[in-house]
């Protein structure tokens, strides 16, 4: 680095950091690269569709002040087609081992055989279950298929006398296309 040179300033755009790990990561990065790179955070909208509209509006108005941004997996193709992201294939494969990533997450950042982003985290759904309610209903193992989940939920509902055998985030949004609200809708629910 040249004497008296200013660090490269990078604006990182991402939604609200409700659980708190984002700012400490940025702070650690800034400490590690002090004098060379300085990251500043721009908070974007919370909801995925509002965040995307905010990006589109900024890019269309040529007012996008961000250098790096977190993106939803379904945005890769439209962002590439509009010319709003750069092909990172050479940089990605020069810096990372693809086997170190969950393959579907890596595919989500790929479009037309090129890499346009780096998977950062996987927002995977998790099934929590009440072992005590399963045991009271004579079930020893948690369900491992959708059919078993429906059956176990119905059994627990009738045996334990509870109103709902299965609850979930069921808002209609693009990320919910494979969620149980879609799957169970055709089966009558549980």
């Amino acid at each position: 680095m040249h004497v008296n040179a200013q660090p490269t300033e990078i604006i990182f755009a991402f939604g609200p950091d409700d659980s708190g790990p984002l700012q400490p990561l940025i702070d650690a990065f800034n400490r590690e690269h002090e004098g060379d790179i300085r990251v500043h955070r721009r908070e974007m909208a919370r909801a995925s569709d509002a965040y995307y509209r905010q990006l589109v509006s900024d890019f269309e108005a040529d007012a996008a002040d961000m250098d790096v941004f977190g993106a939803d997996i379904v945005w890769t193709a439209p962002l590439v087609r509009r010319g709003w992201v750069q092909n990172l294939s050479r940089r990605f494969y020069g810096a990372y081992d693809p086997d170190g990533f969950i393959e579907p997450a890596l595919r989500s950042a790929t479009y037309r055989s090129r890499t346009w982003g780096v998977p950062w985290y996987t927002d995977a759904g998790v099934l929590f279950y009440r072992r005590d309610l399963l045991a009271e209903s004579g079930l020893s193992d948690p369900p491992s298929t959708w059919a078993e989940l429906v059956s176990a939920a119905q059994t627990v509902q009738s045996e334990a006398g509870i109103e709902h055998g299965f609850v979930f985030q069921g808002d209609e949004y693009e990320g919910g296309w494979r969620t149980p609200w879609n799957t169970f809708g055709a089966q009558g629910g549980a």
Side-chain angles (χ1 to χ4, degrees):
M1 182 170 185
H2 296 36
V3 176
N4 297 327
Q6 295 296 316
T8 300
E9 301 283 328
I10 295 175
I11 304 294
F12 172 60
F14 199 67
D17 184 23
D18 295 328
S19 58
L22 186 54
Q23 193 58 53
L25 286 171
I26 292 170
D27 293 342
F29 180 91
N30 285 340
R31 279 191 305 276
E32 185 176 331
H33 299 279
E34 189 170 352
D36 293 324
I37 303 171
R38 178 104 186 129
V39 175
H40 302 278
R41 182 165 176 257
R42 176 181 174 203
E43 187 167 306
M44 300 294 279
R46 175 178 309 282
S48 181
D49 55 347
Y51 183 160
Y52 184 71
R53 283 193 305 271
Q54 192 175 357
L55 282 175
V56 169
S57 176
D58 286 354
F59 283 126
E60 284 180 342
D62 202 24
D65 64 348
M66 79 252 348
D67 301 293
V68 178
F69 57 93
D72 203 334
I73 63 172
V74 297
W75 302 349
T76 303
L79 292 171
V80 171
R81 286 192 301 263
R82 306 276 305 260
W84 292 336
V85 291
Q86 293 181 3
N87 179 356
L88 301 177
S89 300
R90 183 169 290 140
R91 289 180 182 169
F92 176 82
Y93 288 100
Y96 300 106
D97 176 4
D99 292 335
F101 292 86
I102 297 171
E103 200 252 327
L106 185 56
R107 267 197 332 259
S108 75
T110 303
Y111 179 70
R112 295 195 173 171
S113 302
R114 294 189 178 113
T115 302
W116 301 91
V118 178
W120 181 19
Y121 67 90
T122 300
D123 190 13
V126 178
L127 175 64
F128 293 96
Y129 63 95
R130 297 254 326 254
R131 192 177 307 197
D132 61 324
L133 291 177
L134 289 178
E136 287 173 23
S137 299
L139 303 169
S140 58
D141 295 316
S144 60
T145 67
W146 288 114
E148 288 177 13
L149 177 60
V150 170
S151 176
Q154 290 170 339
T155 299
V156 169
Q157 278 181 274
S158 69
E159 296 285 325
I162 60 174
E163 184 176 354
H164 302 288
F166 179 70
V167 293
F168 53 92
Q169 177 183 349
D171 193 14
E172 292 186 38
Y173 74 111
E174 54 78 22
W177 69 277
R178 284 192 184 210
T179 59
W181 65 265
N182 193 352
T183 305
F184 286 142
Q187 298 177 10

